[in-house]
Amino acid sequence: MDRGRSLLRSGAGRWLVAVPLVFFGLFFAYPLVRVVLRSLSLDGQLDLSPFVEIATKGSLRRAAWFTLWQATVSTAATLLFALPGAYVLSRYSFFGRRLLRAAVTVPFVLPTVVVGAAYLALLGPGGPLGVDLRQTAWAILIAHVFFNYAVVVRIVGSFWELIDPRLEEAARALGANRARAFLGVTLPLLLPPIAAAASIVFLFTFTSFGVVLILGGFSYATIEVAVWREATINLDLAASAALALVQMAGVATALWAYTRLQQRHARRLPLRSSSTVARRPSTPGQYLVVGGTIASMVLYLGAPIGTLVWRSLRTAAGPGLDHYASLASGSTSFVDPAESIFNSLWFAAAAVVPAVAAGLASAVVIARRPGRLGARLDTFLMLPLGTSAVTIGFGFLVAFDWPVDLRTSIWLIPMAHAVVAAPFVIRTVTPVLRSVQPRLREAAAILGASPRRVFREVELPIISRAALVGAGFAAAVSLGEFGATAFLIRPGRPTIPTAIFRLLGQPGAANLGQALALSTVLMLLTTVIIMAIDRYRVAGLGDF
């Protein structure tokens, strides 16, 4: 008998199945259903006036158009700037290659408010470039490329380094020049990972909130920003719900297009180990390509972070820690920075518990339910990754007013964070759980262990490292979460991202300095968590 399936049929197994269904059903599906119903009905009757308002109201129509425009341009620009980096890191071997590959990932794991603050320091008044691009589309596009650069390098580069270079060499031997060999041989093979990277970048930029709100404001609002504005400032819940539904339709369309592209361009081909593909540069042209690409990567990805740290240390009397000291003393009338740090840590700790519990139970169910049912459940539980955090926060605001009004409860914030973070736990634990040898469970069962004891004493120790990595991801996501928090946070309980946003919205060099210092603190906290995750991943998990 399959001990995994017997575990699910036991009393403990039924609880395992119930945990993810109840958690995601109550805190994800139910709020989204309420958003849909709120956008389509008024007093129980079908009402399409909010959608008419989107089509006729200038600010909402501009938000919808700008969302599509900036996501398309951001995706194209990210591919244009990142593909050379993917090529160099996949095809050439050089000193510091592994360190550079890890450093490229740092911008992607930074909270969006940190990225927004970094580019505000770089492209705003007093920045080293001497330009002021605040409230412009250019600042948003540049920041989006910075934020999503690692997506293209990781996805396209990891596939590119496995393509046998002899395929292109054969085309060259038959008379094709270098450009024609690349366009006719390599590029068609790269279309599936390029489509995957492009779809992910499009989704991230289509649902961008923190970067757009900080750098563009309401002058360049996206649907995400408009959902928040209509609900919290204009108090028009119907228009906000309709906008959220339009955004979900856009996300679903992008996912559908990605699936079709993957199916159309998928190719079977012999792959080689990456260690046999990468080679050291040997000609002046190759040295120029590698050196120029590395220099541009370091400059483009390092300048915003370096400027953020430098501006956080700049005071009227010269470099110093005055802004950090003011954070510790709470010497600002707008927000208590020290309290925001405590609140963020508290919310992160509270979010980790349900995220890990629901993630572990989901991973067990997915791993023990092979076939179509397990695949469908896996797809459903991944939906929060494709749903904007602002929509989730707005769903909480709409849904949890009955039978008891919980919208002012501080517990909704960590639960919203847990919904966003739980898929990371599932994706981290499920591969490890699937790798557990069935004979280990069978041996324990033969010795008389119950399914519950088999899981507790055989599988749980094996997946414990993966669970810790998932908990780290959940904590990092919670610390930097801004979209859902912007809906649910109360003025007296600010988090680090909301405190940064409030400080950036106030005039004065002192407030800007404190915002940049607080952004640096958040960046350091996130980096420490990611470094701890990488250490556990290398020590016991490998690269998933």
Side-chain angles (χ1 to χ4, degrees):
M1 179 184 293
D2 188 295
R3 301 301 295 182
R5 293 186 180 182
S6 66
L7 171 62
L8 292 182
R9 285 194 291 265
S10 67
R14 286 190 289 270
W15 275 104
L16 284 174
V17 176
V19 167
L21 293 180
V22 171
F23 177 78
F24 285 99
L26 179 61
F27 294 107
F28 177 68
Y30 172 62
L32 290 189
V33 169
R34 288 292 302 272
V35 168
V36 173
L37 295 178
R38 184 66 181 83
S39 66
L40 296 176
S41 64
L42 178 65
D43 298 328
Q45 301 295 323
L46 180 65
D47 180 27
L48 299 180
S49 60
F51 297 95
V52 175
E53 184 180 3
I54 293 175
T56 57
K57 188 175 180 180
S59 61
L60 301 185
R61 191 171 62 249
R62 285 193 300 271
W65 165 248
F66 181 70
T67 301
L68 180 61
W69 178 86
Q70 64 83 23
T72 303
V73 175
S74 296
T75 302
T78 304
L79 290 174
L80 179 65
F81 281 96
L83 282 176
Y87 168 73
V88 168
L89 287 175
S90 63
R91 289 299 193 179
Y92 290 100
S93 175
F94 50 87
F95 177 77
R97 177 183 177 221
R98 182 175 298 179
L99 178 62
L100 182 61
R101 189 194 299 268
V104 165
T105 311
V106 172
F108 181 69
V109 300
L110 291 179
T112 56
V113 289
V114 172
V115 175
Y119 271 94
L120 193 64
L122 180 66
L123 303 177
L129 300 182
V131 297
D132 188 359
L133 296 181
R134 292 176 302 170
Q135 307 294 311
T136 66
W138 289 107
I140 296 172
L141 297 176
I142 293 171
H144 279 166
V145 173
F146 168 86
F147 191 75
N148 295 287
Y149 190 97
V151 174
V152 177
V153 171
R154 285 286 190 174
I155 295 178
V156 179
S158 62
F159 188 87
W160 205 337
E161 66 183 359
L162 300 177
I163 297 178
D164 194 335
R166 291 176 297 185
L167 297 175
E168 194 170 313
E169 293 170 1
R172 298 283 306 278
L174 293 175
N177 58 30
R178 185 180 298 276
R180 187 175 180 183
F182 172 78
L183 294 176
V185 177
T186 304
L187 183 59
L189 299 177
L190 288 174
L191 285 180
I194 289 177
S199 65
I200 293 175
V201 173
F202 184 87
L203 287 176
F204 283 148
T205 53
F206 191 82
T207 59
S208 180
F209 180 66
V211 169
V212 176
L213 188 59
I214 291 175
L215 297 178
F218 295 144
S219 301
Y220 291 91
T222 58
I223 293 178
E224 191 93 334
V225 174
V227 170
W228 177 75
R229 179 187 62 196
E230 294 300 315
T232 61
I233 297 178
N234 296 339
L235 302 180
D236 189 346
L237 294 183
S240 185
L243 283 167
L245 189 59
V246 170
Q247 185 183 58
M248 286 189 282
V251 169
T253 302
L255 291 174
W256 174 83
Y258 159 66
T259 302
R260 291 296 300 273
L261 285 172
Q262 286 288 87
Q263 294 173 348
R264 178 175 299 180
H265 296 290
R267 298 288 186 274
R268 293 183 179 271
L269 70 158
L271 301 178
R272 296 181 62 184
S273 171
S274 59
S275 60
T276 64
V277 171
R279 64 188 187 278
R280 290 190 174 277
S282 57
T283 66
Q286 291 177 353
Y287 276 108
L288 181 62
V289 169
V290 173
T293 303
I294 294 175
S296 64
M297 291 169 64
V298 172
L299 181 63
Y300 187 78
L301 300 179
I305 297 176
T307 304
L308 173 66
V309 177
W310 170 67
R311 290 286 299 275
S312 71
L313 296 172
R314 193 174 72 177
T315 66
L321 299 175
D322 295 4
H323 298 310
Y324 293 91
S326 63
L327 293 181
S329 62
S331 57
T332 173
S333 58
F334 304 108
V335 66
D336 188 342
E339 183 183 359
S340 70
I341 295 175
F342 172 80
N343 290 335
S344 286
L345 294 175
W346 187 90
F347 287 142
V352 164
V353 177
V356 172
L360 282 177
S362 303
V364 171
V365 175
I366 292 170
R368 296 291 171 266
R369 288 281 187 178
R372 186 173 299 177
L373 180 61
R376 289 178 178 176
L377 182 62
D378 192 11
T379 301
F380 169 72
L381 297 181
M382 289 299 106
L383 287 178
L385 288 180
T387 306
S388 76
V390 164
T391 300
I392 293 175
F394 178 59
F396 274 43
L397 194 66
V398 171
F400 294 111
D401 61 342
W402 183 89
V404 178
D405 193 346
L406 300 175
R407 291 175 296 181
T408 59
S409 172
I410 62 171
W411 289 102
L412 283 187
I413 297 174
M415 295 309 297
H417 292 183
V419 170
V420 177
F424 290 93
V425 180
I426 298 172
R427 286 271 67 84
T428 304
V429 175
T430 301
V432 179
L433 196 58
R434 283 174 171 164
S435 68
V436 176
Q437 294 293 331
R439 62 175 179 269
L440 295 177
R441 296 192 297 267
E442 294 168 359
I446 291 174
L447 294 175
S450 64
R452 182 186 302 180
R453 188 175 181 185
V454 169
F455 173 76
R456 185 176 66 249
E457 298 190 10
V458 176
E459 294 176 307
L460 190 58
I462 295 175
I463 67 174
S464 59
R465 284 183 178 272
L468 286 175
V469 171
F473 274 124
V477 169
S478 177
L479 281 176
E481 209 290 312
F482 182 48
T485 309
F487 268 102
L488 304 173
I489 198 67
R490 302 276 72 83
R493 299 295 297 268
T495 61
I496 299 178
T498 57
I500 292 171
F501 177 66
R502 292 181 193 176
L503 288 169
L504 289 175
Q506 301 297 331
N511 292 317
L512 176 61
Q514 288 186 348
L516 299 180
L518 196 55
S519 299
T520 304
V521 171
L522 181 56
M523 179 181 66
L524 292 176
L525 286 173
T526 306
T527 302
V528 168
I529 293 175
I530 297 301
M531 290 176 62
I533 290 173
D534 284 340
R535 180 177 180 182
Y536 271 101
R537 189 195 303 271
V538 172
L541 296 176
D543 189 3
F544 293 135

